[in-house]
Amino acid sequence: MSKILVIAEHLDGKLNSATARAISAAAAVKPESIDVVVLSDAPDAIAAEAAKIEGVSKVVTVARAENKHALAAVLAPQIAKAAAGYSHVFAPSTTFGKDVMPRVAGLLGAAQVSDVMTVQGSHVFTRPIYAGNAIVTVEAPSDHPVVATIRTASWPAAGTSSSAAPIEVLSLDVKLPSHTRFVELKQGKSDRPDLQSAAKVVSGGRGVGSKENFDIIYKFADKIGAAVGASRAAVDAGYVPNEMQVGQTGKIIAPELYMAIGISGAIQHLTGIKDAGTIVAINKDGEAPIFEVADIGLVGDLFKLLPELEAAIG
Amino acid sequence: MKILVGYKRVVDYNVRVQVKADGTGVVTEGVKLSANPFDDIALEEALRLREKGVAEEVVIVGIGPADLTAHLRNGLAMGANRAIHVTTTEAVQPLTAARVLLKLVEKESPGLVIVGKQAIDDDANQTGQMLAALWDRPQATFAGKVEIADGKATVAREVDAGMETLDVDLPAVITTDLRLNEPRFIKLPDIMKAKSKPIDVIELGSLGVDTGDHLKITHYAAPPKRSKGVMVKDAAELVAALKHKGLL
Ligand SMILES: Cc1cc2nc3c(=O)[nH]c(=O)nc-3n(C[C@@H](O)[C@H](O)[C@H](O)COP(=O)(O)OP(=O)(O)OC[C@H]3O[C@@H](n4cnc5c(N)ncnc54)[C@H](O)[C@@H]3O)c2cc1C
Ligand SMILES: Cc1cc2nc3c(=O)[nH]c(=O)nc-3n(C[C@H](O)[C@H](O)[C@H](O)COP(=O)(O)OP(=O)(O)OC[C@H]3O[C@@H](n4cnc5c(N)ncnc54)[C@H](O)[C@@H]3O)c2cc1C
């Protein structure tokens, strides 16, 4: 029987909702147990959140001052040690999981399955390659723990449970390196919904034309309560910060509604939105490839159409 | 300081890859191959560090079949001092690539290894981190800015929350993100000059690395297609359609 360890992702003392998506993937393995490990300098509040997620058997906390920031070089040896006795180690395929998990796999001498989309069996998974142009079925060897990152857009967040799972303190005797030091994290401050978990996302592309013009996107997004994203071209041109990039090398998201405004629909961008419920495209070029995947398309000038839309919504 | 750069050849990013009808792989016959875009960025960063006097030598590494030579020549034409070609006829997965790179690190003692954050064929995003683990050295992944001074690298990383800056002791492994730099174009005279630059050829089997622990790829499938949608004629129709779906 499988026993799965899920690595909790958190920031500023709060559990990241991507963790609950990784727990859904763990549940799909139909394991004997799903434990969540919280590595932090102050794990208690985070652990209490994790304990309430449906399907969690228990939460273990590793409290060390060195765990204040999520440094892969510091966390990986602890995770590799904590993984003893588990058949699987999962984390969300966010920049956190992508950074730390291959390091864990390296320490365990195990191959890693990146971006798990579906679970076909305890060691058989599907994952995307070539920017999602092909989906491969992979079988992980059974003589090592399965180290995997979970493509969050493919999985719903596990629900909340009526009773909280027990929380245990784990002390790990691991020597930690001092060769890697945290300097700072510059976070984009925003009162808007979080891009990765929002139900609605409005994204702007190169067609928006400038940083100043992007206000029209923000304004429309606020009108409908949406998060704001962007194409790589918009990020490269400096209209918006990097954390807003959607696509193969940015964020992979699955909102109920995705609106692409002035975005042509390059394959690398589409990779990021394949799992969106409804895709709406607004583009002045009726031949733009975005219309091949859009559920609803509207040809026209975004600067004319967005105010009209706002007015029509009322 | 010497810099080792991962220089992988992949299907060009403009190619729309097709899955073979029998599910045994993707069509690669006659398809344009190019350097992994992230590896061009890795090489560019290494060259800039050499031009700044931070590094003396830039060595590119390719792991792959015999016909990789032309690809490595491109990297040499871009400006690398020399290349190491680890030959194999098998598909190499990240753990094996990392084990191979570790062997080369032991031989070459670089002060820095720069690889792409992901190769755009398998999109694994693993090799650099695995190498750092096996080598027991720092990693700074998804780099958007790199500064080297006093035996340390200060790296700004593109993370989900924004930009994170780390200080790491050298030697270290850095993986590149898209906005680290814009790679230079190769000029014709450089291609001529590159012909005389050395390429060391090493057979993978002779390195004594464990090539086991592989994932087995059992099937390739085309992604599910989204069905073609509808076109609306104006803002009012779009709002009505979204309200009808309960999205507004
Ligand atoms: C046409 C084609 C067919 C393939 N078919 C198969 C197949 O059938 N089965 C299979 O398992 N794999 C196959 N592969 C790919 C496989 O060999 C990948 O190299 C391997 O899975 C590593 O994944 P990755 O490159 O995505 O690693 P990542 O971790 O994403 O790579 C990150 C970085 O590591 C460095 N790096 C990684 N590999 C190399 C390398 N070989 N040489 C130099 N630097 C490197 C690069 O700097 C790269 O940017 C195929 C590749 C191609 C191009
Ligand atoms: C390795 C690699 C990774 C990449 N990763 C990503 C990624 O993660 N995410 C990503 O997005 N891209 C990525 N790209 C880039 C991608 O290939 C495209 O270049 C990019 O998505 C284009 O952005 P865009 O659609 O905003 O710009 P463009 O392609 O320039 O399209 C702009 C669109 O705006 C329309 N337009 C202009 N003015 C107006 C107006 N007034 N009203 C309405 N419409 C208007 C135009 O008709 C056009 O269709 C990657 C590329 C590579 C090589």
Side-chain angles (χ1 to χ4, degrees), chain B residues 73 76 81-84 194-200:
Chain B
R73 289 264 170 239
L76 294 172
N81 298 78
R82 61 191 172 89
I84 302 175
K195 291 212 167 112
S196 59
K197 290 185 178 176
I199 301 181
D200 271 343

Side-chain angles (χ1 to χ4, degrees), chain A residues 245-258:
Chain A
Q245 182 174 316
V246 172
Q248 180 188 16
T249 50
K251 288 185 171 125
I252 314 270
I253 56 174
E256 288 162 31
L257 173 64
Y258 185 80

Side-chain angles (χ1 to χ4, degrees), chain A residues 205-207 230-234 245-250 262-266 268-269 282-285 288 300-303, chain B residues 13 37-38 120 178:
Chain A
R206 197 186 334 245
S231 70
R232 173 184 170 188
Q245 182 174 316
V246 172
Q248 180 188 16
T249 50
I263 292 177
S264 61
Q268 294 88 359
H269 187 80
I282 296 181
N283 197 304
K284 68 178 182 191
D285 173 9
D301 183 349
L302 70 95
F303 299 105
Chain B
Y13 78 95
F38 292 94
I120 60 160
L178 290 174

Side-chain angles (χ1 to χ4, degrees), chain A residues 99 114 130 139 184 186, chain B residues 121 126 141 163 165 169 216:
Chain A
D99 185 37
S114 296
Y130 291 103
E139 198 178 318
E184 62 170 358
K186 282 205 195 112
Chain B
D121 47 8
Q126 300 175 3
T141 52
M163 282 301 255
T165 304
D169 295 339
K216 205 159 90 198

Side-chain angles (χ1 to χ4, degrees), chain B residues 8 28 36 39 63 92-93 115-116 119 121-122 125-127 220:
Chain B
K8 187 180 174 185
T28 52
N36 179 29
D39 291 356
I63 311 167
V92 172
Q93 291 188 10
V115 302
D121 47 8
D122 293 274
N125 198 328
Q126 300 175 3
T127 306
Y220 290 75

Side-chain angles (χ1 to χ4, degrees), chain B:
Chain B
M1 180 169 85
K2 188 189 290 184
I3 304 178
L4 214 60
V5 174
Y7 202 64
K8 187 180 174 185
R9 184 181 63 176
V10 297
V11 172
D12 187 84
Y13 78 95
N14 278 314
V15 173
R16 195 166 196 131
V17 168
Q18 302 287 334
V19 174
K20 288 183 188 159
D22 62 1
T24 57
V26 298
V27 179
T28 52
E29 290 78 33
V31 159
K32 183 176 178 213
L33 301 174
S34 303
N36 179 29
F38 292 94
D39 291 356
D40 268 337
I41 294 171
L43 176 52
E44 176 65 35
E45 197 64 17
L47 296 174
R48 290 185 189 188
L49 289 170
R50 192 185 64 197
E51 283 154 8
K52 276 191 220 157
V54 175
E56 291 83 49
E57 193 182 25
V58 174
V59 183
I60 53 172
V61 179
I63 311 167
D67 69 356
L68 213 60
T69 315
H71 157 75
L72 291 171
R73 289 264 170 239
N74 285 340
L76 294 172
M78 212 171 127
N81 298 78
R82 61 191 172 89
I84 302 175
H85 179 181
V86 179
T87 56
T88 171
T89 52
E90 304 286 313
V92 172
Q93 291 188 10
L95 187 58
T96 303
R99 286 169 173 164
V100 166
L101 289 171
L102 180 69
K103 285 284 176 202
L104 301 179
V105 159
E106 286 164 357
K107 257 171 93 158
E108 300 278 345
S109 310
L112 190 61
V113 177
I114 313 181
V115 302
K117 81 163 174 181
Q118 72 198 68
I120 60 160
D121 47 8
D122 293 274
D123 288 332
N125 198 328
Q126 300 175 3
T127 306
Q129 297 89 313
M130 285 178 167
L131 170 64
L134 300 175
W135 190 13
D136 198 14
R137 291 305 307 168
Q139 71 189 46
T141 52
F142 327 144
K145 192 165 186 233
V146 174
E147 268 162 48
I148 309 266
D150 309 323
K152 285 186 321 188
T154 303
V155 180
R157 310 175 53 229
E158 295 200 4
V159 296
D160 291 337
M163 282 301 255
E164 182 191 67
T165 304
L166 296 184
D167 242 358
V168 298
D169 295 339
L170 299 181
V173 178
I174 290 175
T175 80
T176 59
D177 217 317
L178 290 174
R179 278 168 286 273
L180 181 57
N181 60 49
E182 257 188 64
R184 64 195 67 186
F185 288 105
I186 300 169
K187 293 190 250 9
L188 211 54
D190 297 331
I191 297 177
M192 298 308 293
K193 267 192 275 175
K195 291 212 167 112
S196 59
K197 290 185 178 176
I199 301 181
D200 271 343
V201 180
I202 307 173
E203 218 234 303
L204 196 149
S206 73
L207 285 171
V209 302
D210 182 356
T211 55
D213 312 312
H214 262 193
L215 301 177
K216 205 159 90 198
I217 303 181
T218 55
H219 187 71
Y220 290 75
K225 272 222 159 36
R226 289 186 76 100
S227 49
K228 198 159 163 55
V230 297
M231 299 300 286
V232 293
K233 68 173 197 311
D234 58 23
E237 254 190 37
L238 176 54
V239 169
L242 290 176
K243 284 197 169 146
H244 178 72
K245 286 182 168 233
L247 290 166
L248 277 181

